[in-house]
Amino acid sequence: MVILKTSRELAKMREAGRISQGALREAGKAVEPGVSTLELDTIVRSYIERMGAVPSFLGYGGFPASACISVNNVVIHGIPSKKQILKNGDIVSIDVGAYINGYHGDNAWTFACGDVTREAQALMDATRESLFEGISKAVAGNRIGDIGHAVQRYVEARSYSVVRDYVGHGVGARLHEDPSVPNYGTPGHGVRLLPGMVIAIEPMVNQGTHRVRVLKDKWTTVTADGQLSAHFEHTIAITPGGPVILTMPD
Ligand code: MG
């Protein structure tokens, strides 16, 4: 069931979004060769707690950290570790949620560590742009399929692929609500978008095959062919005035 939010609830969600964004920004600034992914996780957790919020991911389904940190061929759900030291040329996806006043925010960004290859940069650029293509379709009266189609078309025109096994989602009092927001779809199909809906649009884009697999730790999700993957996400409110990105600084 899709839960519509009142404008008062959206104001609270904006606070959750702002904190989620701030935590992501702080962690992103710290991405450089020699830093461990656990250090990035600590930055995320400290920032969120300093803001009086709670890391949404910590303990969610048993997840052991405050951020998912997914390097290179890891698509999503990478577990931060003090043993994983970033190297020059890595691409580092950080996914962060914060919970405050009864609501969650959720956002992700892929950062370049030092100097990345032209191919890696192009993948990150295309994935980020595809997110904004999707956001542009997050308009009342459109359908979920319009968003997914816009993302997929942009990505596949550049010979990349969109991950099928994981999708975006509604956000609210729970981190994952209805509806599902796939990064593929058919225009005019799926749930109709209404003012008050809040969704996370989060393209996960692979250099090669769209297929992924989950490692033995039951979290770390990698590309099936070992090629790179990027991930960008914003939490969006559908409003009468168009899409509003809740995970933005003021
Ligand atoms: Mg999400």
Side-chain angles (χ1 to χ4, degrees), residues 99-121:
Y99 178 79
I100 191 167
N101 297 325
Y103 291 93
H104 293 277
D106 192 3
N107 62 180
W109 204 262
T110 303
F111 300 94
C113 180
D115 305 310
V116 301
T117 63
R118 210 165 358 129
E119 290 76 14
Q121 188 62 52

Side-chain angles (χ1 to χ4, degrees), residues 106 169 176 200 202 233:
D106 192 3
H169 50 90
H176 294 115
E202 51 174 320
E233 174 180 34

Side-chain angles (χ1 to χ4, degrees), residues 29-102:
K29 280 196 281 193
V31 169
E32 58 177 308
V35 171
S36 76
T37 54
L38 186 66
E39 288 175 79
L40 300 179
D41 186 69
T42 301
I43 290 169
V44 164
R45 182 170 183 166
S46 309
Y47 181 92
I48 291 172
E49 292 180 346
R50 199 165 358 115
M51 295 296 143
V54 172
S56 300
F57 298 179
L58 187 59
Y60 186 91
F63 191 75
S66 299
C68 298
I69 303 183
S70 306
V71 179
N72 294 338
N73 64 312
V74 180
V75 180
I76 49 169
H77 300 166
I79 301 173
S81 163
K82 66 171 188 280
K83 289 187 207 148
Q84 184 169 31
I85 310 297
L86 298 179
K87 302 183 306 296
N88 187 55
D90 284 344
I91 66 170
V92 183
S93 302
I94 303 178
D95 192 349
V96 171
Y99 178 79
I100 191 167
N101 297 325

Side-chain angles (χ1 to χ4, degrees), residues 9-236:
E9 290 170 320
L10 288 182
K12 291 184 180 178
M13 291 201 69
R14 181 160 219 142
E15 180 69 8
R18 199 181 287 131
I19 296 169
S20 303
Q21 206 285 326
L24 181 59
R25 189 187 54 223
E26 289 301 305
K29 280 196 281 193
V31 169
E32 58 177 308
V35 171
S36 76
T37 54
L38 186 66
E39 288 175 79
L40 300 179
D41 186 69
T42 301
I43 290 169
V44 164
R45 182 170 183 166
S46 309
Y47 181 92
I48 291 172
E49 292 180 346
R50 199 165 358 115
M51 295 296 143
V54 172
S56 300
F57 298 179
L58 187 59
Y60 186 91
F63 191 75
S66 299
C68 298
I69 303 183
S70 306
V71 179
N72 294 338
N73 64 312
V74 180
V75 180
I76 49 169
H77 300 166
I79 301 173
S81 163
K82 66 171 188 280
K83 289 187 207 148
Q84 184 169 31
I85 310 297
L86 298 179
K87 302 183 306 296
N88 187 55
D90 284 344
I91 66 170
V92 183
S93 302
I94 303 178
D95 192 349
V96 171
Y99 178 79
I100 191 167
N101 297 325
Y103 291 93
H104 293 277
D106 192 3
N107 62 180
W109 204 262
T110 303
F111 300 94
C113 180
D115 305 310
V116 301
T117 63
R118 210 165 358 129
E119 290 76 14
Q121 188 62 52
L123 174 70
M124 291 192 292
D125 291 344
T127 309
R128 187 187 62 247
E129 289 305 316
S130 77
L131 167 60
F132 288 98
E133 290 288 311
I135 291 172
S136 74
K137 302 294 180 193
V139 172
N142 276 359
R143 291 180 183 271
I144 286 291
D146 295 309
I147 296 173
H149 178 76
V151 172
Q152 182 178 22
R153 191 178 55 174
Y154 191 88
V155 165
E156 292 183 351
R158 285 151 186 81
S159 302
Y160 302 125
S161 63
V162 293
V163 170
R164 310 289 204 275
D165 290 2
Y166 297 88
V167 297
H169 50 90
V171 185
R174 289 186 301 127
L175 181 60
H176 294 115
E177 297 185 351
D178 287 337
S180 289
V181 185
N183 297 302
Y184 53 89
T186 308
H189 282 66
V191 171
R192 188 178 291 284
L193 304 177
L194 297 171
M197 282 176 62
V198 177
I199 55 173
I201 303 176
E202 51 174 320
M204 292 151 256
V205 175
N206 294 353
Q207 250 180 345
T209 177
H210 69 81
R211 286 182 301 108
V212 301
R213 65 189 176 87
V214 180
L215 300 188
K216 281 207 195 86
D217 64 20
K218 297 206 165 63
W219 286 106
T220 310
T221 302
V222 300
T223 55
D225 60 9
Q227 294 199 65
L228 297 177
S229 185
H231 181 206
F232 289 79
E233 174 180 34
H234 271 308
T235 300
I236 311 294

